[in-house]
Amino acid sequence: MVHWTAEEKQLIASVWGKVSVEECGAEALARLLIVYPWTQRFFSDFGNLSSPTAIIGNPKVRAHGKKVLTSFGDAIKNLENLKVTYSKLSELHCDKLHVDPENFRLLGDILIIVLAAHFTKDFTPACQATWQKLVGVVAHALAHKYH
Amino acid sequence: MVLSAADKSNVKAAFGKIGGHAEEYGAETLERMFAAYPQTKTYFPHFDLAKGSAQVKGHGKKVAAALVEAANHIDDISGALSKLSDLHAQKLRVDPVNFKLLGQCFLVVVATHNPALLTPEVHASLDKFLCAVGTVLTAKYR
C-alpha cells in the first residue's frame, strides 16, 4: 500500500486541477512517439507518424492521448485503491495490447516534462518529486496483473 | 544510439540559449534529483544537502560544465569526457541507472525555465545527448 501525505495529495490535486486533459494528454503521447520512436510500434494503425509535425497533428494521437490522460485522472481519484482500479486495464495491456511496462515509465517521465513546461516555476522540486512518485505508482499498478 | 546532424545542431543551439544559466541549471538539477530520487543522495553522504547548500551549488556547477563541454565537443563526447569517464569508473562508480535520473531532472529544469526552448524535436535531441553522455561516463565500468 502506497502512503500519500496530505502535502503530496495537495500537490497532486493542485496540479491536476489546472491541467487540460485533452491538451496535456495529446502532447504527452506525441512527445512519447517523437522522443522514443520505438514506441510507435503499438500504433501502426494510427496513420501518418512520419515526422514530429505529422505526429503532433495526427488526430488519432490527440484522441488517444486524451483517453490515456483521462484514465490517469481515474488513478488520481483512486490513489488508495490503485491496483484494484487498474486491474482490468492491466490485464488489457498485458493480454491484448502486449505493451512492455517499461513504456508506462517512459510515458510517465514525458508527462512530468510536459507538466514542467506548462507550470514552469510552480512545478517546484517538491511538486516534481510527488508527481514522479505518482507516475511510478501508476506504472506499477498498470503492470501489476502481468503474467 | 547515434546523434544525427540535426540532433547536434539542436543540442548546440539549446546550450547556446541556456548560456550563462548552465551553472544554475546544474544546481537545480541536483536539487530536484535528490528530492525526486532520494536514493541518489547515497552518493553524497559527505555533502550538506539542505536547500541552498553551497556544496550542491558547487557540484551543480561541475555537472553543468561537463554537459557544456560535451555539447561543445559533440562530435567527440568520449574524447571530451575521457578523464571524467575514468573518474566515474575508478573512483565514483555511480550506478548507471542514475544517469537517466539526472537526465530527467535536467530536462525538467530546462522545461521549467525555458519551456519554449523545449520543442518536441529539441526534447528528443537533448534526451539522446544526455543518454550519450551517460553512456560515455559508464563506458569504462567493466
Side-chain angles (χ1 to χ4, degrees):
Chain A
M1 254 296 291
V2 180
H3 177 66
W4 300 94
T5 65
E7 194 203 346
E8 285 170 335
K9 290 184 191 178
Q10 225 306 95
L11 288 170
I12 292 169
S14 71
V15 165
W16 192 248
K18 299 183 196 118
V19 161
S20 157
V21 164
E22 181 166 357
E23 282 310 314
C24 219
E27 175 149 13
L29 187 62
R31 281 181 186 255
L32 180 75
L33 299 173
I34 292 165
V35 177
Y36 308 116
W38 54 93
T39 58
Q40 293 170 25
R41 70 190 296 284
F42 301 108
F43 303 104
S44 51
D45 60 339
F46 268 30
N48 187 3
L49 298 179
S50 61
S51 70
T53 310
I55 291 168
I56 292 163
N58 185 309
K60 285 187 174 175
V61 171
R62 292 193 67 86
H64 195 69
K66 179 181 173 183
K67 187 173 180 184
V68 168
L69 211 62
T70 302
S71 170
F72 198 85
D74 290 338
I76 290 178
K77 285 195 208 93
N78 291 281
L79 286 179
E80 310 297 335
N81 204 9
L82 203 38
K83 289 201 174 92
V84 170
T85 304
Y86 267 15
S87 178
K88 287 262 168 312
L89 212 49
S90 179
E91 286 172 4
L92 177 78
H93 280 77
C94 175
D95 299 332
K96 293 273 174 329
L97 305 178
H98 311 293
V99 176
D100 178 349
E102 180 60 22
N103 292 285
F104 310 143
R105 293 178 254 287
L106 292 179
L107 182 63
D109 278 351
I110 294 264
L111 177 62
I112 300 272
I113 289 168
V114 169
L115 293 175
H118 185 80
F119 288 93
T120 62
K121 59 177 168 33
D122 289 341
F123 200 65
T124 59
C127 204
Q128 180 190 351
T130 298
W131 275 79
Q132 296 282 178
K133 179 178 169 180
L134 176 61
V135 300
V137 162
V138 169
H140 185 76
L142 261 180
H144 189 246
K145 280 303 219 279
Y146 272 57
H147 59 96
Chain B
M1 162 163 37
V2 170
L3 294 175
S4 68
D7 287 327
K8 292 178 185 180
S9 164
N10 284 340
V11 170
K12 287 177 112 74
F15 274 87
K17 290 201 190 102
I18 289 168
H21 293 283
E23 288 179 5
E24 183 196 321
Y25 282 25
E28 191 179 328
T29 296
L30 292 179
E31 186 194 347
R32 284 180 180 271
M33 189 183 72
F34 295 140
Y37 309 110
Q39 67 272 23
T40 57
K41 296 190 290 186
T42 59
Y43 292 96
F44 300 92
H46 54 302
F47 265 31
D48 163 26
L49 296 179
K51 192 165 163 62
S53 154
Q55 284 177 307
V56 173
K57 283 202 172 91
H59 197 67
K61 209 172 143 175
K62 275 192 207 164
V63 170
L67 291 178
V68 168
E69 183 74 0
N72 287 340
H73 296 89
I74 204 163
D75 290 320
D76 183 20
I77 296 175
S78 59
L81 299 187
S82 179
K83 290 222 164 38
L84 215 47
S85 179
D86 292 337
L87 182 72
H88 281 77
Q90 290 154 20
K91 185 150 174 280
L92 303 178
R93 293 172 291 183
V94 172
D95 191 285
V97 313
N98 294 288
F99 295 95
K100 188 174 190 329
L101 306 182
L102 183 82
Q104 167 74 358
C105 291
F106 183 76
L107 289 173
V108 168
V109 171
V110 173
T112 55
H113 285 267
N114 216 327
L117 171 56
L118 207 64
T119 63
E121 293 88 336
V122 170
H123 178 173
S125 297
L126 277 177
D127 193 274
K128 282 173 81 173
F129 167 72
L130 292 165
C131 272
V133 169
T135 297
V136 163
L137 291 179
T138 57
K140 301 175 197 174
Y141 271 30
R142 55 175 174 173

